[in-house]
Amino acid sequence: MLSRARSTYGGLGPDRAKAAYAWFRAFRRTRPFWGGVWLVAGGWTVLKFSLSSLQLIVSTGFGGVAGYLVGGGMILCGLIPLALPAQRYTFGLIGAVLAVVSLVVSNLGGFLLGMLLGVLGGSMMVGWGVKRPRRRAVEG
C-alpha cells in the first residue's frame, strides 16, 4: 500500500534517486565544483567573522563595510563559475586576490581560515580542466 502511494504521488523512488545522482555527478564533473565550494566556504567564513552591529559598521566607515564586500565578493566568485565554467580563470583569480585582501580588511581573513579556504578554492578553479561526463557502460 505504501509503495503504491509513493509511486502515485511521485515519491523519490530508487530510479529517481539514481537519475538525480547521475545528473549531479555530470554537473560536478563539467564544472569547477570543488573550487567553488571551497571559495564559497572561505567567503562565508570571512563574512561570518566580520559580522558586527550596524552602529559599529556605520561609525567605522569603509573599514567596517570592507569585510562584507570582500566576503560577499568571494562568495560570488565561487558561485559564478558554476553557472559559467568558461569564466573560471577570471573569477578564480579575483576570488584568490579577494581572499588575500581579506587578511588585511577582515579580522585576519576570518582568522586565517577564510583566507586559506579562499586561496585554495581560487587556485583549484584556475587549475581545473574540463572533463567530459562519463558514458554509461554498454549492456550486452
Side-chain angles (χ1 to χ4, degrees):
M1 182 74 172
L2 185 61
S3 64
R4 177 182 278 175
R6 282 187 182 164
S7 65
T8 304
Y9 297 110
L12 188 64
D15 293 336
R16 203 162 174 194
K18 286 180 184 178
Y21 181 72
W23 175 86
F24 178 69
R25 185 174 12 177
F27 176 83
R28 190 183 66 212
R29 290 177 55 82
T30 57
R31 284 162 171 74
F33 180 76
W34 291 111
V37 167
W38 290 117
L39 195 53
V40 168
W44 180 82
T45 306
V46 168
L47 196 61
K48 179 72 174 166
F49 286 122
S50 64
L51 292 177
S52 58
S53 68
L54 185 62
Q55 184 179 8
L56 181 65
I57 292 170
V58 170
S59 66
T60 57
F62 182 73
V65 178
Y68 288 104
L69 293 176
V70 169
M74 286 171 64
I75 290 172
L76 283 176
C77 286
L79 292 176
I80 289 173
L82 295 179
L84 301 169
Q87 300 299 319
R88 66 186 182 273
Y89 290 118
T90 305
F91 288 103
L93 287 174
I94 292 172
V97 168
L98 284 176
V100 172
V101 168
S102 74
L103 182 67
V104 177
V105 299
S106 173
N107 294 332
L108 290 175
F111 298 115
L112 297 178
L113 180 64
M115 184 196 73
L116 291 175
L117 290 174
V119 168
L120 173 70
S123 61
M124 284 177 75
M125 264 193 211
V126 171
W128 178 77
V130 179
K131 294 180 185 173
R132 286 185 239 124
R134 292 182 182 171
R135 285 198 272 164
R136 293 186 178 182
V138 178
E139 295 180 16

